[in-house]
Amino acid sequence: MELKKSLKLELLGFFLLNVFVLSMAKTTVRPINWVLNETTYTRLCSTKKILTVNGLFPGPTLYVRKGDRLAVNVQNQGKYNVTIHWHGVKQPGNPWSDGPEYITQCPIKPGANFTYQIIFSTEEGTLWWHAHSDWSRATVHGPIVVYPEVGTTYPFPKPDAEFPIVFASWFKGDVMEIIESALKDGGETNKSDALTINGQPGDLYNCSKNGTFNILVNQGKRYLLRVINSIMNEEVFFAVAQHNFTVVGMDGAYVKPIDTNYIFITPGQTIDILMTANKSPSYYYMAARAYVAVVYDNTTTTAILKYTGNYTAPSKPAFPSKLPNYTDINAVTNFTKRIKALASDDYPINVPQKVDTQLFITISVGSIPCPNDSCDGPNGSRLAASLNNVSFETPAVDLLQAYYRQIGGIYTTDFPSVPPYFFNFTADEMPDNVLIPSTGTKVKVLEFNSNVEIVFQGTNILSAAENHPMHLHGFSFYHVGSGFGNFDNKTDPNGYNLVDPPEINTVGVPKNGWAAVRFKADNPGVWFMHCHLERHSSWGMDMAFIVKNGTTKSTSIRRPPRYLNPC
């Protein structure tokens, strides 16, 4: 009984508010009201106020069925501007509610509110929502669970229960001040002081053991773990001691089941895992730690899997021996290359076989000189990230309004389809002329229904090679290929998977390597694309697509809502 009470208390804060009761038909439900405010939390032996939704960290879970619609009214009672993005929700024809600040909306200022109309379409599985304004997503985020339509079920054995597993970052300092200071000085941002699972750092951190998140399971039962990486700047490995996983979904789409004893997940991604509680009743650690990056949190966050029944609890839970080490690039590759779309009769995919628009996009972290070498970046410069050597500048008016209302001078349509220089992108030493990016608010215009291929090429500029999780709003894309070194446009496409590539919204570009994706530009609007390592996005590793309208009302952007927040 005590264990059951403990589990209920652990989950109460996660599920208490704004749980959407599953509808029996596709419909727009009554508005959900969220209040963003500063809430006092204690972690790592210290207390501070953090921005939360309805006082919760992580925030409330949204439960819907495939094809549903939601209205979420967000009241900003915090002290910073904020917006909310519904990560992985395609929002067909409705970029007005997509959420990235100064891309599809002006921010919700303190004291103001905005009602998001969230349109679900083909998504099924686990997605998530998060703030999309500066670094506020560190504490403003939560799960979205998209169940199958009424009358249908999962394409895998039905679980006996399910649990969200949300990874996040905890900073002892104020996250908004951390990024503001870093951008002002031009240098690296502070790394986080802890990683968390469902809001708790876990046993291995100071002053954290009593709050460690627990999951209670019954021997022989099957559980669905809905794993979300909302960490700010780290990809992570995740494992449960002595237990195996079956991966069945990723980024709101089903995949061919794969058996594994760990997963690798980048910021922005979600992974659905089946796990059977088939071990001796005891306590077992669930653990996550980073895959190596240039600046990263090298701590390990834990939760505890506890079996029901009468047994003597161990003095210390078993730790997952199969959790890969920080530098295990083979573990990353071996996991990601196994992910393939389910691609069945009930869950078909439609991979573009021919391409109308090709983009080759280099991903770089460089620097911009400062007067008198006065900044904190390399050699007194300012760190600047870029795509195709363009470091994105945030406009003063959101791009969507500028496009829709034909406001001039906000952006240009000359985002390059290829980088300005071709060289050995993954060499140990780089030519000087590739270190300094240009700056601008540049977009790429796509014809409606055109087939698009993007090859993301990692670079070793400033010796800053690391995995880059590239996220595209408004679409899922098919991850058709990856490799190490420089992409060869003559030979590498021969190895593309055009039969059952995974349909995802965030792709990890390998360290010193490349990744190729394809999608059909069938969602009119303005859609952001950026690295989901937050420091890189803050430095300018961003761009936007404008997808033109089709020829009918149903293939055109919806009219804007009656009220839009002013810039």
Side-chain angles (χ1 to χ4, degrees):
M1 289 297 293
E2 289 301 318
L3 284 174
K4 290 182 179 179
K5 289 181 180 178
S6 173
L7 178 66
K8 288 179 180 178
L9 289 173
E10 292 287 348
L11 294 177
L12 183 61
F14 207 89
F15 293 109
L16 184 60
L17 296 177
N18 291 331
V19 174
F20 170 57
V21 179
L22 292 176
S23 59
M24 295 304 293
K26 296 178 183 178
T27 182
T28 300
V29 300
R30 61 178 176 81
I32 293 171
N33 291 308
W34 283 1
V35 178
L36 285 99
N37 53 23
E38 299 287 330
T39 306
T40 300
Y41 271 73
T42 300
R43 297 287 186 273
L44 307 181
C45 317
S46 62
T47 300
K48 70 168 187 172
K49 287 189 174 183
I50 62 173
L51 187 63
T52 65
V53 171
N54 295 345
L56 303 179
F57 170 66
T61 303
L62 293 175
Y63 292 92
V64 300
R65 286 200 185 274
K66 182 180 178 180
D68 276 343
R69 297 188 177 196
L70 290 183
V72 179
N73 181 257
V74 176
Q75 304 173 48
N76 185 6
Q77 296 182 7
K79 57 183 180 180
Y80 299 107
N81 292 344
V82 74
T83 60
I84 303 292
H85 170 53
W86 318 94
H87 187 113
V89 182
K90 299 181 182 70
Q91 295 275 30
N94 186 35
W96 305 104
S97 286
D98 187 51
E101 182 181 58
Y102 295 110
I103 305 299
T104 59
Q105 72 174 106
C106 299
I108 309 169
K109 297 177 181 178
N113 70 289
F114 183 74
T115 299
Y116 291 90
Q117 302 292 333
I118 311 167
I119 303 174
F120 294 87
S121 54
T122 61
E123 308 88 359
E124 190 171 331
T126 304
L127 301 172
W128 63 300
W129 59 266
H130 60 83
H132 214 303
S133 182
D134 293 317
W135 275 29
S136 51
R137 82 166 177 88
T139 56
V140 180
H141 58 255
I144 302 174
V145 175
V146 185
Y147 288 113
E149 296 175 282
V150 173
T152 65
T153 188
Y154 302 114
F156 50 80
K158 185 177 180 180
D160 295 293
E162 62 180 55
F163 297 97
I165 303 294
V166 182
F167 305 132
S169 306
W170 184 267
F171 296 82
K172 288 185 178 180
D174 184 302
V175 292
M176 302 296 273
E177 292 177 359
I178 287 172
I179 184 58
E180 288 175 5
S181 175
L183 292 177
K184 178 181 177 181
D185 297 335
E188 267 285 5
T189 60
N190 292 352
K191 65 181 182 180
S192 57
D193 296 289
L195 305 177
T196 62
I197 296 177
N198 290 357
Q200 294 289 348
D203 286 8
L204 306 185
Y205 298 88
N206 291 336
C207 307
S208 300
K209 187 170 185 177
N210 290 339
T212 298
F213 184 79
N214 298 318
I215 287 179
L216 194 65
V217 297
N218 295 313
Q219 191 176 35
K221 298 295 184 181
R222 182 186 298 111
Y223 297 90
L224 177 61
L225 305 182
R226 298 182 177 274
V227 184
I228 299 166
N229 188 349
S230 62
I231 293 171
M232 297 295 279
N233 292 301
E234 287 87 13
E235 303 93 354
V236 294
F237 298 110
F238 172 67
V240 178
Q242 300 181 27
H243 289 71
N244 291 327
F245 299 149
T246 300
V247 175
V248 294
M250 188 171 183
D251 282 6
Y254 297 120
V255 301
K256 288 181 171 65
I258 63 169
D259 295 325
T260 180
N261 48 32
Y262 71 94
I263 65 168
F264 171 74
I265 183 169
T266 73
Q269 289 181 337
T270 67
I271 296 180
D272 291 332
I273 298 169
L274 287 179
M275 183 192 71
T276 301
N278 55 5
K279 300 302 177 184
S280 300
S282 188
Y283 289 9
Y284 299 88
Y285 270 134
M286 316 171 76
R289 66 177 167 217
Y291 169 60
V292 66
V294 179
V295 175
Y296 68 101
D297 186 331
N298 63 357
T299 61
T300 301
T301 180
T302 57
I304 301 176
L305 188 75
K306 295 182 178 180
Y307 278 69
T308 60
N310 296 318
Y311 59 89
T312 301
S315 58
K316 188 176 182 180
F319 191 84
S321 61
K322 301 299 183 180
L323 185 67
N325 200 10
Y326 300 107
T327 59
D328 195 341
I329 192 170
N330 290 329
V332 174
T333 305
N334 292 338
F335 177 77
T336 55
K337 74 179 182 181
R338 298 175 65 195
I339 304 294
K340 300 181 187 299
L342 189 56
S344 65
D345 291 340
D346 292 332
Y347 300 93
I349 60 173
N350 185 21
V351 187
Q353 300 296 306
K354 296 182 179 180
V355 174
D356 303 307
T357 300
Q358 288 183 309
L359 293 93
F360 181 79
I361 298 180
T362 51
I363 304 171
S364 305
V365 176
S367 63
I368 295 175
C370 292
N372 302 316
D373 300 331
S374 57
C375 294
D376 290 345
N379 301 314
S381 66
R382 175 183 304 279
L383 287 169
S386 63
L387 299 174
N388 273 353
N389 214 47
V390 179
S391 188
F392 186 80
E393 289 187 326
T394 302
V397 175
D398 68 275
L399 296 179
L400 178 57
Q401 284 199 70
Y403 169 62
Y404 190 83
R405 305 189 191 285
Q406 298 182 344
I407 303 172
I410 305 300
Y411 64 88
T412 59
T413 58
D414 57 344
F415 180 84
S417 296
V418 295
Y421 311 105
F422 278 80
F423 52 95
N424 184 355
F425 299 112
T426 57
D428 291 333
E429 295 185 5
M430 294 288 165
D432 292 339
N433 63 343
V434 303
L435 298 177
I436 303 174
S438 62
T439 59
T441 307
K442 298 178 183 290
V443 306
K444 179 70 175 180
V445 178
L446 300 175
E447 296 294 328
F448 181 79
N449 252 359
S450 58
N451 291 329
V452 182
E453 177 178 294
I454 305 174
V455 175
F456 297 105
Q457 174 68 61
T459 69
N460 203 26
I461 294 175
L462 286 185
S463 299
E466 56 188 303
N467 268 38
H468 293 279
M470 297 303 299
H471 171 54
L472 175 60
H473 292 222
F475 296 89
S476 290
F477 43 54
Y478 294 102
H479 180 198
V480 297
S482 287
F484 291 101
N486 298 318
F487 176 77
D488 188 318
N489 63 1
K490 293 183 179 180
T491 60
D492 284 328
N494 296 330
Y496 281 179
N497 175 9
L498 300 179
V499 177
D500 57 358
E503 185 180 5
I504 56 180
N505 60 62
T506 305
V507 64
V509 181
K511 178 180 178 180
N512 268 335
W514 57 270
V517 301
R518 289 184 178 184
F519 66 97
K520 180 177 286 290
D522 55 2
N523 191 7
V526 177
W527 305 106
F528 201 32
M529 189 173 76
H530 60 96
C531 181
H532 228 283
L533 300 182
E534 210 63 27
R535 46 200 261 280
H536 290 174
S537 183
S538 297
W539 294 337
M541 197 175 284
D542 321 294
M543 60 84 68
F545 288 105
I546 291 177
V547 179
K548 291 183 179 180
N549 286 337
T551 58
T552 65
K553 182 178 180 181
S554 63
T555 59
S556 300
I557 299 176
R558 298 176 68 190
R559 291 182 178 180
R562 293 181 180 179
Y563 175 77
L564 290 171
N565 298 86
C567 285

